[in-house]
Amino acid sequence: MNAEELRKIQAPLKAKYKEDPASAKIVSRASGILLHDRPACRIESEFGTITAGLHPAAGGDGSDKCSIDMLLEALIGCAGLTFNLVATAMSIPFKSVKVIAEADGDVRGALGVDKEVPVGMTQMRLSFEVDSPATDEQIALLIKQTERYCVVFQSLRNPAPVELSVQRVST
């Protein structure tokens, strides 16, 4: 896809959203079912089934996906797509780009071993290995725009409030 093809696809959407901002509102949804045979959650989507389970550091055997890995994969997917879109829109060529995400944490918090240790990741890093004839200034602008427009990156950096609710059901 080139910049003109991208503009052709997105121009009608942008015009619609400017005219009717409410039409730009979306709701994303995912759901999962807890498994009975082990501590895991089966997540089903139109793209397949993934089972989220314990990280080996928390007692898992490594056969299920760790939720932190899935979070990093979402960050990589969104940042990679955003970089690609921005490069396309700006007509900046690249030969290859590898996106790498890492997160640091301490499982003692999640396991309740040490109440002073935070539950969750304490540091995350996102990096790009770029092979491109573009100038350093163009690459810097690509990264700046990727950071600005990557939905997952911005959601992690500026987290939305998360509400939790319970509905009792009978099956």
Side-chain angles (χ1 to χ4, degrees), residues 102-113:
E102 297 177 313
D104 301 328
D106 185 331
V107 296
R108 292 177 301 159
L111 292 176
V113 171

Side-chain angles (χ1 to χ4, degrees), residues 24-70:
K25 304 291 183 181
I26 64 169
V27 174
S28 296
R29 186 171 194 276
S31 64
I33 303 293
L34 302 187
L35 301 183
H36 291 285
D37 63 335
R38 66 184 190 280
C41 181
R42 187 179 65 234
I43 304 161
E44 295 181 6
S45 78
E46 61 187 271
F47 303 103
T49 300
I50 297 172
T51 302
L54 287 172
H55 187 282
D61 64 8
S63 63
D64 295 326
K65 296 272 291 188
C66 169
S67 299
I68 293 299
D69 294 334
M70 291 189 291

Side-chain angles (χ1 to χ4, degrees), residues 68 71-72 75 101-104 121-126 156:
I68 293 299
L71 177 66
L72 294 176
L75 177 58
E102 297 177 313
D104 301 328
M121 305 317 293
T122 55
Q123 179 69 43
M124 297 177 82
R125 292 171 298 285
L126 180 66
L156 289 168

Side-chain angles (χ1 to χ4, degrees), residues 2 13 24 54 117 119 124 128 134-135:
N2 63 37
L13 295 169
L54 287 172
V117 174
V119 175
M124 297 177 82
F128 293 80
T135 66

Side-chain angles (χ1 to χ4, degrees), residues 138-153:
Q138 289 174 310
I139 298 297
L141 182 57
L142 274 172
I143 294 299
K144 180 180 176 184
Q145 295 299 85
T146 296
E147 182 177 344
R148 179 177 180 188
Y149 292 113
C150 176
V151 174
V152 174
F153 183 91

